[in-house]
Amino acid sequence: MPNGFSIGPLDIHYYGIILMLGAVAGAWLAARRAKDRKQDPEFVWDSLVWILIGGVIGARLWHIFTPPPSMVELGITTQYYLTHPLDALAIWRGGLGIPGAVIGGGLALYLYCRKQRTSFVMWADIVAPSLALGQAIGRWGNFINQELYGGPTNLPWGIYIEPAFRVPGFEQFTHFHPTFFYESVWNLANMALLIWLGYKFSKRLIDGDIFLTYLIVYPVGRFLLEFLRLDSSQLGGINANQTLMAVVAIAAGAALFWRHRRK
């Protein structure tokens, strides 16, 4: 396996290992932040399974309903997935969308908080920097899989993409923008900003502000990176991810402004 290894009949993918490292690192950070806020750190570890399941389901559904053009050309469309349910479940073959992961994981956290009768917005604030950290680590899985890169570039940090993984129409190019790396750095900066805001303005923040800030900073970065990325998912001829990011950033910014203006 070029992107993993086998233990007997079991195939282990490096992409999956990287995603799990991101999840564990994020949970560790959230547990530390929970302790700082005098909350039970065990809540983080107990809710992790819920969040992971919700995140994976959401990420897969987002991919199924917004497949990239390169897959559509091969006939792997939403209709194909709906008529081939086993392929729709085959997440080990790739196909996970970050927007869906955030939505699914957020919904799972909300349901778990309801079950435990605790504040969702408080825990969303605690988890937000961890989400950014997990994304920063998880993006390196795209490097392993040679996917989700940007347009051709001659810049020194351009990455070589093997011919088998080049987007149709760009076979003649060899080096491309490492958009996974750009997004990883952006997420690390977002994590640092959210942690700093939590400590610097702890007495002025309202529960939910940190999460709303995440919903502004990450979408802005992703919106800009979509201008570089090749093979972006389309819905009705528009970039699905970029459009969603714009809507989320504007809505979160308006909510943040409104709640503090009212206060």
Side-chain angles (χ1 to χ4, degrees):
M1 290 180 64
N3 293 331
F5 56 92
S6 298
I7 302 177
L10 183 64
D11 293 335
I12 307 296
H13 295 262
Y14 294 133
Y15 182 73
I17 294 175
I18 291 171
L19 290 182
M20 287 307 301
L21 285 174
V24 172
W28 172 83
L29 176 61
R32 289 285 302 272
R33 286 176 48 76
K35 188 175 181 180
D36 289 344
R37 294 191 59 169
K38 296 180 172 50
Q39 300 298 321
D40 184 7
E42 289 303 313
F43 180 93
V44 175
W45 299 106
D46 292 342
S47 65
L48 182 59
V49 174
W50 286 61
I51 295 172
L52 287 177
I53 293 173
V56 170
I57 293 173
R60 188 58 175 174
L61 288 175
W62 185 262
H63 169 76
I64 288 172
F65 288 104
T66 62
S70 61
M71 297 187 70
V72 173
E73 288 185 10
L74 297 174
I76 305 177
T77 63
T78 300
Q79 183 63 30
Y80 171 84
Y81 280 124
L82 294 178
T83 54
H84 296 76
L86 292 180
D87 286 342
L89 295 174
I91 61 173
W92 55 88
R93 297 178 185 170
L96 297 173
I98 288 294
V102 175
I103 295 170
L107 179 60
L109 177 61
Y110 172 77
L111 293 175
Y112 189 78
C113 288
R114 284 286 301 271
K115 180 175 181 290
Q116 298 297 321
R117 297 184 179 181
T118 187
S119 170
F120 165 72
V121 289
M122 177 193 67
W123 281 104
D125 277 355
I126 292 172
V127 168
S130 301
L131 181 56
L133 175 60
Q135 288 177 266
I137 296 173
R139 273 303 176 199
W140 285 86
N142 302 135
F143 171 70
I144 296 294
N145 288 350
Q146 298 191 60
E147 61 186 2
L148 304 182
Y149 46 85
T153 181
N154 293 320
L155 292 171
W157 55 82
I159 56 170
Y160 175 77
I161 299 295
E162 296 176 12
F165 297 99
R166 293 173 193 167
V167 173
F170 293 86
E171 294 88 350
Q172 71 274 30
F173 299 100
T174 59
H175 289 74
F176 299 81
H177 277 285
T179 49
F180 79 91
F181 175 71
Y182 302 158
E183 187 169 332
S184 181
V185 172
W186 183 263
N187 281 317
L188 286 176
N190 190 13
M191 176 198 70
L193 172 65
L194 297 177
I195 293 174
W196 177 78
L197 287 175
Y199 285 114
K200 183 70 174 179
F201 301 101
S202 59
K203 295 182 179 180
R204 296 176 56 186
L205 294 175
I206 306 170
D207 280 347
D209 283 353
I210 298 295
F211 186 60
L212 284 173
T213 303
Y214 166 86
L215 291 179
I216 297 170
V217 177
Y218 171 68
V220 167
R222 181 63 184 270
F223 178 87
L224 296 174
L225 286 174
E226 285 293 324
F227 287 111
L228 288 177
R229 278 181 55 173
L230 301 176
D231 205 28
S232 295
S233 300
Q234 305 289 315
L235 274 179
I238 63 173
N239 186 315
N241 291 323
Q242 192 173 47
T243 302
L244 177 67
M245 294 300 108
V247 171
V248 169
I250 292 171
L256 193 62
F257 172 80
W258 176 79
R259 68 200 320 234
H260 279 275
R261 185 183 181 192
R262 186 182 63 171
K263 181 181 178 182

